[in-house]
Amino acid sequence: MSHDFFISYTRRDLAWAEWIAWVLKNKGCYSVELDVWDWHAGDNFIAKMHHAIENASYTLIVLSSAYFSSVYTETEWTSVFAKAITGSGQNPVMVRIEDIQPPGLLASRLYIDLVGLDDEKASEQLLGGLKSHQPHPVSPPFPGISPRFPGTLPSIWNVPFLRNNTFTGREEILTTLDAALESGHTAAVTQPRAITGLGGIGKTQVALEYVYRHLSHYDVIWWVRGENTQTLGNDYIAFAHAQDLPEKDAREEATIVAAVNKWLGKHRNWLFVYDNAENP
């Protein structure tokens, strides 16, 4: 099946890729192929990538500093440009999401610039830049709720660290972590996957990178200091106040903790990160 656009991006920019894909499908009625939406476990990644580039009318490149440091994305964009130069394919569409100058062959290419724009203006800029690219007339809107604009924090949030913009590698761990948390299987809840190891190997940085990559997937993200019962209790009490639970001012800490656990059991799309926890 051919699509109007195949989106080429690096995993660090997943939230942007999903937001762009959603805008194209819901507001522009374009057909879009995005790996996390359309590819499945067991698929041949290289074959799917080749098929997507060959069959899409256009490849849309999400421009960022991380994009140009990835071996996989370099293979994608050089393949697309080779097709364009030889006349066997269309020029790619480039969308800039960071204040960077594209290197090499890309430096002379025009791009759609979303840097510094809010949700509404970014949507207008994106669709306005694609006016010359006619969508297939029968593409249905993508169902579901609009993803939160990339970089927008959840309303309930207490992560004490900024994103580490120099973070690289650990893709296998991040992919495994993502699969475990997104699977929806009971086992992922009753037997949680944890990042374990000796201090100083970067566990906190991996967890932090996961948080920032998946901001738009969660309505609540809460960072819990797990080094002892006092910090655990304090952060649960703080969550009860942030969520304005009726039990937030109870005298007994156990009552507040029970109320938080009850709330978690009744809601979805939340993420708790237990940092420095010695054991489950």
Side-chain angles (χ1 to χ4, degrees):
M1 177 182 176
S2 62
H3 292 84
D4 294 314
F5 290 100
F6 167 65
I7 298 184
S8 175
Y9 70 102
T10 185
R11 285 288 174 177
R12 181 182 176 87
D13 301 322
L14 173 61
W16 274 107
E18 289 194 305
W19 181 84
I20 289 170
W22 189 91
V23 170
L24 293 182
K25 296 193 75 143
N26 242 7
K27 296 185 177 182
C29 287
Y30 294 96
S31 60
V32 179
E33 182 165 0
L34 182 65
D35 57 354
V36 293
W37 288 356
D38 301 306
W39 303 355
H40 308 287
D43 284 344
N44 184 314
F45 177 82
I46 300 299
K48 296 291 288 187
M49 186 72 64
H50 172 75
H51 184 272
I53 292 174
E54 288 291 318
N55 289 280
S57 298
Y58 299 92
T59 296
L60 186 150
I61 297 174
V62 182
L63 295 177
S64 71
S65 56
Y67 186 85
F68 297 110
S69 62
S70 169
V71 174
Y72 297 107
T73 53
E74 181 178 358
T75 301
E76 292 173 32
W77 72 261
T78 52
S79 171
V80 172
F81 270 96
K83 284 168 57 66
I85 291 172
T86 61
S88 60
Q90 296 283 355
N91 282 321
V93 175
M94 302 198 301
V95 178
R96 192 174 78 143
I97 62 168
E98 285 183 11
D99 188 13
I100 56 117
Q101 182 61 37
L105 290 172
L106 301 184
S108 62
R109 304 281 177 159
L110 297 178
Y111 50 75
I112 299 171
D113 198 358
L114 305 186
V115 176
L117 302 182
D118 61 21
D119 191 340
E120 183 176 352
K121 291 187 182 304
S123 295
E124 293 174 359
Q125 183 89 332
L126 177 61
L127 295 177
L130 297 175
K131 280 185 177 179
S132 61
H133 303 74
Q134 294 299 318
H136 294 315
V138 294
S139 298
F142 185 71
I145 301 172
S146 169
R148 200 163 50 247
F149 188 62
T152 305
L153 300 179
S155 57
I156 304 297
W157 160 275
N158 77 329
V159 176
F161 307 108
L162 296 175
R163 188 173 193 174
N164 179 2
N165 289 321
T166 62
F167 183 95
T168 58
R170 301 299 183 93
E171 290 298 328
E172 183 177 353
I173 295 176
L174 287 164
T175 300
T176 301
L177 185 60
D178 184 35
L181 294 175
E182 295 286 344
S183 67
H185 295 160
T186 303
V189 177
T190 59
Q191 299 176 8
R193 301 291 184 91
I195 305 169
T196 62
L198 298 175
I201 68 168
K203 300 186 297 296
T204 295
Q205 289 299 318
V206 172
L208 193 65
E209 178 63 17
Y210 177 85
V211 165
Y212 278 100
R213 284 193 188 189
H214 297 273
L215 281 179
S216 60
H217 290 184
Y218 297 101
D219 302 320
V220 170
I221 299 181
W222 203 250
W223 196 274
V224 180
R225 295 165 297 165
E227 51 262 32
N228 57 60
T229 55
Q230 181 176 349
T231 56
L232 277 167
N234 289 343
D235 289 339
Y236 266 61
I237 292 170
F239 177 81
H241 280 267
Q243 196 64 49
D244 197 25
L245 299 182
E247 300 86 351
K248 64 182 185 294
D249 294 316
R251 287 191 174 188
E252 297 294 328
E253 182 180 288
T255 301
I256 301 175
V257 171
V260 171
N261 286 332
K262 182 179 179 180
W263 185 93
L264 296 175
K266 289 185 175 181
H267 294 80
R268 302 183 65 183
N269 296 336
W270 52 262
L271 175 68
F272 267 41
V273 180
Y274 294 84
D275 194 22
N276 292 322
E278 291 295 327
N279 56 63

